[in-house]
mmCIF file with all atom_site columns, all heavy atoms in Angstrom:
data_model
loop_
_atom_site.group_PDB
_atom_site.id
_atom_site.type_symbol
_atom_site.label_atom_id
_atom_site.label_alt_id
_atom_site.label_comp_id
_atom_site.label_asym_id
_atom_site.label_entity_id
_atom_site.label_seq_id
_atom_site.pdbx_PDB_ins_code
_atom_site.Cartn_x
_atom_site.Cartn_y
_atom_site.Cartn_z
_atom_site.occupancy
_atom_site.B_iso_or_equiv
_atom_site.pdbx_formal_charge
_atom_site.auth_seq_id
_atom_site.auth_comp_id
_atom_site.auth_asym_id
_atom_site.auth_atom_id
_atom_site.pdbx_PDB_model_num
ATOM 1  N N   . HIS Q 1 175 ? -2.621  18.539 31.821 1.00 0.00 ? 204 HIS Q N   1
ATOM 2  C CA  . HIS Q 1 175 ? -3.307  17.755 32.860 1.00 0.00 ? 204 HIS Q CA  1
ATOM 3  C C   . HIS Q 1 175 ? -3.340  16.256 32.536 1.00 0.00 ? 204 HIS Q C   1
ATOM 4  O O   . HIS Q 1 175 ? -4.021  15.495 33.238 1.00 0.00 ? 204 HIS Q O   1
ATOM 5  C CB  . HIS Q 1 175 ? -4.749  18.249 33.046 1.00 0.00 ? 204 HIS Q CB  1
ATOM 6  C CG  . HIS Q 1 175 ? -4.824  19.622 33.644 1.00 0.00 ? 204 HIS Q CG  1
ATOM 7  N ND1 . HIS Q 1 175 ? -4.722  20.770 32.891 1.00 0.00 ? 204 HIS Q ND1 1
ATOM 8  C CD2 . HIS Q 1 175 ? -4.962  20.019 34.921 1.00 0.00 ? 204 HIS Q CD2 1
ATOM 9  C CE1 . HIS Q 1 175 ? -4.812  21.822 33.679 1.00 0.00 ? 204 HIS Q CE1 1
ATOM 10 N NE2 . HIS Q 1 175 ? -4.959  21.405 34.924 1.00 0.00 ? 204 HIS Q NE2 1
ATOM 11 N N   . GLY Q 1 176 ? -2.673  15.841 31.473 1.00 0.00 ? 205 GLY Q N   1
ATOM 12 C CA  . GLY Q 1 176 ? -2.681  14.419 31.108 1.00 0.00 ? 205 GLY Q CA  1
ATOM 13 C C   . GLY Q 1 176 ? -4.053  13.920 30.697 1.00 0.00 ? 205 GLY Q C   1
ATOM 14 O O   . GLY Q 1 176 ? -4.422  12.780 30.963 1.00 0.00 ? 205 GLY Q O   1
ATOM 15 N N   . VAL Q 1 177 ? -4.837  14.791 30.031 1.00 0.00 ? 206 VAL Q N   1
ATOM 16 C CA  . VAL Q 1 177 ? -6.195  14.428 29.612 1.00 0.00 ? 206 VAL Q CA  1
ATOM 17 C C   . VAL Q 1 177 ? -6.222  14.276 28.086 1.00 0.00 ? 206 VAL Q C   1
ATOM 18 O O   . VAL Q 1 177 ? -5.675  15.118 27.367 1.00 0.00 ? 206 VAL Q O   1
ATOM 19 C CB  . VAL Q 1 177 ? -7.200  15.532 30.044 1.00 0.00 ? 206 VAL Q CB  1
ATOM 20 C CG1 . VAL Q 1 177 ? -8.592  15.230 29.521 1.00 0.00 ? 206 VAL Q CG1 1
ATOM 21 C CG2 . VAL Q 1 177 ? -7.220  15.673 31.558 1.00 0.00 ? 206 VAL Q CG2 1
ATOM 22 N N   . LEU Q 1 178 ? -6.874  13.222 27.595 1.00 0.00 ? 207 LEU Q N   1
ATOM 23 C CA  . LEU Q 1 178 ? -6.966  12.975 26.153 1.00 0.00 ? 207 LEU Q CA  1
ATOM 24 C C   . LEU Q 1 178 ? -7.855  14.032 25.497 1.00 0.00 ? 207 LEU Q C   1
ATOM 25 O O   . LEU Q 1 178 ? -8.966  14.277 25.960 1.00 0.00 ? 207 LEU Q O   1
ATOM 26 C CB  . LEU Q 1 178 ? -7.570  11.580 25.910 1.00 0.00 ? 207 LEU Q CB  1
ATOM 27 C CG  . LEU Q 1 178 ? -7.501  11.066 24.478 1.00 0.00 ? 207 LEU Q CG  1
ATOM 28 C CD1 . LEU Q 1 178 ? -6.098  10.537 24.162 1.00 0.00 ? 207 LEU Q CD1 1
ATOM 29 C CD2 . LEU Q 1 178 ? -8.533  9.962  24.249 1.00 0.00 ? 207 LEU Q CD2 1
ATOM 30 N N   . THR Q 1 179 ? -7.362  14.631 24.409 1.00 0.00 ? 208 THR Q N   1
ATOM 31 C CA  . THR Q 1 179 ? -8.176  15.620 23.695 1.00 0.00 ? 208 THR Q CA  1
ATOM 32 C C   . THR Q 1 179 ? -8.642  15.031 22.367 1.00 0.00 ? 208 THR Q C   1
ATOM 33 O O   . THR Q 1 179 ? -7.872  14.386 21.648 1.00 0.00 ? 208 THR Q O   1
ATOM 34 C CB  . THR Q 1 179 ? -7.384  16.922 23.450 1.00 0.00 ? 208 THR Q CB  1
ATOM 35 O OG1 . THR Q 1 179 ? -6.127  16.608 22.855 1.00 0.00 ? 208 THR Q OG1 1
ATOM 36 C CG2 . THR Q 1 179 ? -7.154  17.662 24.751 1.00 0.00 ? 208 THR Q CG2 1
ATOM 37 N N   . VAL Q 1 180 ? -9.924  15.284 22.060 1.00 0.00 ? 209 VAL Q N   1
ATOM 38 C CA  . VAL Q 1 180 ? -10.547 14.679 20.880 1.00 0.00 ? 209 VAL Q CA  1
ATOM 39 C C   . VAL Q 1 180 ? -11.257 15.769 20.084 1.00 0.00 ? 209 VAL Q C   1
ATOM 40 O O   . VAL Q 1 180 ? -12.016 16.562 20.652 1.00 0.00 ? 209 VAL Q O   1
ATOM 41 C CB  . VAL Q 1 180 ? -11.591 13.616 21.303 1.00 0.00 ? 209 VAL Q CB  1
ATOM 42 C CG1 . VAL Q 1 180 ? -12.217 12.965 20.073 1.00 0.00 ? 209 VAL Q CG1 1
ATOM 43 C CG2 . VAL Q 1 180 ? -10.961 12.560 22.207 1.00 0.00 ? 209 VAL Q CG2 1
ATOM 44 N N   . ALA Q 1 181 ? -11.026 15.809 18.777 1.00 0.00 ? 210 ALA Q N   1
ATOM 45 C CA  . ALA Q 1 181 ? -11.741 16.754 17.915 1.00 0.00 ? 210 ALA Q CA  1
ATOM 46 C C   . ALA Q 1 181 ? -12.542 15.994 16.876 1.00 0.00 ? 210 ALA Q C   1
ATOM 47 O O   . ALA Q 1 181 ? -12.001 15.128 16.172 1.00 0.00 ? 210 ALA Q O   1
ATOM 48 C CB  . ALA Q 1 181 ? -10.760 17.698 17.234 1.00 0.00 ? 210 ALA Q CB  1
ATOM 49 N N   . ASP Q 1 182 ? -13.829 16.317 16.783 1.00 0.00 ? 211 ASP Q N   1
ATOM 50 C CA  . ASP Q 1 182 ? -14.658 15.825 15.683 1.00 0.00 ? 211 ASP Q CA  1
ATOM 51 C C   . ASP Q 1 182 ? -14.395 16.773 14.513 1.00 0.00 ? 211 ASP Q C   1
ATOM 52 O O   . ASP Q 1 182 ? -14.775 17.951 14.546 1.00 0.00 ? 211 ASP Q O   1
ATOM 53 C CB  . ASP Q 1 182 ? -16.131 15.839 16.114 1.00 0.00 ? 211 ASP Q CB  1
ATOM 54 C CG  . ASP Q 1 182 ? -17.071 15.333 15.014 1.00 0.00 ? 211 ASP Q CG  1
ATOM 55 O OD1 . ASP Q 1 182 ? -16.732 15.478 13.829 1.00 0.00 ? 211 ASP Q OD1 1
ATOM 56 O OD2 . ASP Q 1 182 ? -18.150 14.821 15.354 1.00 0.00 ? 211 ASP Q OD2 1
ATOM 57 N N   . ASN Q 1 183 ? -13.720 16.264 13.488 1.00 0.00 ? 212 ASN Q N   1
ATOM 58 C CA  . ASN Q 1 183 ? -13.251 17.105 12.372 1.00 0.00 ? 212 ASN Q CA  1
ATOM 59 C C   . ASN Q 1 183 ? -14.156 16.979 11.145 1.00 0.00 ? 212 ASN Q C   1
ATOM 60 O O   . ASN Q 1 183 ? -13.736 17.267 10.035 1.00 0.00 ? 212 ASN Q O   1
ATOM 61 C CB  . ASN Q 1 183 ? -11.811 16.675 12.026 1.00 0.00 ? 212 ASN Q CB  1
ATOM 62 C CG  . ASN Q 1 183 ? -11.022 17.748 11.292 1.00 0.00 ? 212 ASN Q CG  1
ATOM 63 O OD1 . ASN Q 1 183 ? -11.329 18.940 11.402 1.00 0.00 ? 212 ASN Q OD1 1
ATOM 64 N ND2 . ASN Q 1 183 ? -10.019 17.344 10.538 1.00 0.00 ? 212 ASN Q ND2 1
ATOM 65 N N   . THR Q 1 184 ? -15.411 16.549 11.374 1.00 0.00 ? 213 THR Q N   1
ATOM 66 C CA  . THR Q 1 184 ? -16.331 16.292 10.262 1.00 0.00 ? 213 THR Q CA  1
ATOM 67 C C   . THR Q 1 184 ? -16.552 17.535 9.401  1.00 0.00 ? 213 THR Q C   1
ATOM 68 O O   . THR Q 1 184 ? -16.531 17.466 8.175  1.00 0.00 ? 213 THR Q O   1
ATOM 69 C CB  . THR Q 1 184 ? -17.694 15.813 10.823 1.00 0.00 ? 213 THR Q CB  1
ATOM 70 O OG1 . THR Q 1 184 ? -17.483 14.627 11.581 1.00 0.00 ? 213 THR Q OG1 1
ATOM 71 C CG2 . THR Q 1 184 ? -18.697 15.549 9.717  1.00 0.00 ? 213 THR Q CG2 1
ATOM 72 N N   . PHE Q 1 185 ? -16.785 18.686 10.048 1.00 0.00 ? 214 PHE Q N   1
ATOM 73 C CA  . PHE Q 1 185 ? -17.120 19.890 9.275  1.00 0.00 ? 214 PHE Q CA  1
ATOM 74 C C   . PHE Q 1 185 ? -15.919 20.412 8.484  1.00 0.00 ? 214 PHE Q C   1
ATOM 75 O O   . PHE Q 1 185 ? -16.079 20.929 7.391  1.00 0.00 ? 214 PHE Q O   1
ATOM 76 C CB  . PHE Q 1 185 ? -17.633 21.007 10.213 1.00 0.00 ? 214 PHE Q CB  1
ATOM 77 C CG  . PHE Q 1 185 ? -19.118 20.989 10.433 1.00 0.00 ? 214 PHE Q CG  1
ATOM 78 C CD1 . PHE Q 1 185 ? -19.786 19.812 10.735 1.00 0.00 ? 214 PHE Q CD1 1
ATOM 79 C CD2 . PHE Q 1 185 ? -19.867 22.166 10.354 1.00 0.00 ? 214 PHE Q CD2 1
ATOM 80 C CE1 . PHE Q 1 185 ? -21.150 19.782 10.949 1.00 0.00 ? 214 PHE Q CE1 1
ATOM 81 C CE2 . PHE Q 1 185 ? -21.249 22.166 10.557 1.00 0.00 ? 214 PHE Q CE2 1
ATOM 82 C CZ  . PHE Q 1 185 ? -21.881 20.972 10.855 1.00 0.00 ? 214 PHE Q CZ  1
ATOM 83 N N   . SER Q 1 186 ? -14.718 20.326 9.061  1.00 0.00 ? 215 SER Q N   1
ATOM 84 C CA  . SER Q 1 186 ? -13.540 20.895 8.390  1.00 0.00 ? 215 SER Q CA  1
ATOM 85 C C   . SER Q 1 186 ? -12.940 19.944 7.377  1.00 0.00 ? 215 SER Q C   1
ATOM 86 O O   . SER Q 1 186 ? -12.460 20.368 6.330  1.00 0.00 ? 215 SER Q O   1
ATOM 87 C CB  . SER Q 1 186 ? -12.447 21.211 9.415  1.00 0.00 ? 215 SER Q CB  1
ATOM 88 O OG  . SER Q 1 186 ? -12.653 22.467 9.990  1.00 0.00 ? 215 SER Q OG  1
ATOM 89 N N   . THR Q 1 187 ? -12.892 18.660 7.731  1.00 0.00 ? 216 THR Q N   1
ATOM 90 C CA  . THR Q 1 187 ? -12.126 17.627 7.006  1.00 0.00 ? 216 THR Q CA  1
ATOM 91 C C   . THR Q 1 187 ? -10.627 17.944 7.165  1.00 0.00 ? 216 THR Q C   1
ATOM 92 O O   . THR Q 1 187 ? -10.245 19.106 7.382  1.00 0.00 ? 216 THR Q O   1
ATOM 93 C CB  . THR Q 1 187 ? -12.436 17.526 5.485  1.00 0.00 ? 216 THR Q CB  1
ATOM 94 O OG1 . THR Q 1 187 ? -11.692 18.513 4.773  1.00 0.00 ? 216 THR Q OG1 1
ATOM 95 C CG2 . THR Q 1 187 ? -13.895 17.606 5.192  1.00 0.00 ? 216 THR Q CG2 1
#
Side-chain angles (χ1 to χ4, degrees):
H204 292 84
V206 175
L207 191 79
T208 51
V209 181
D211 180 332
N212 202 24
T213 301
F214 270 47
S215 275
T216 82

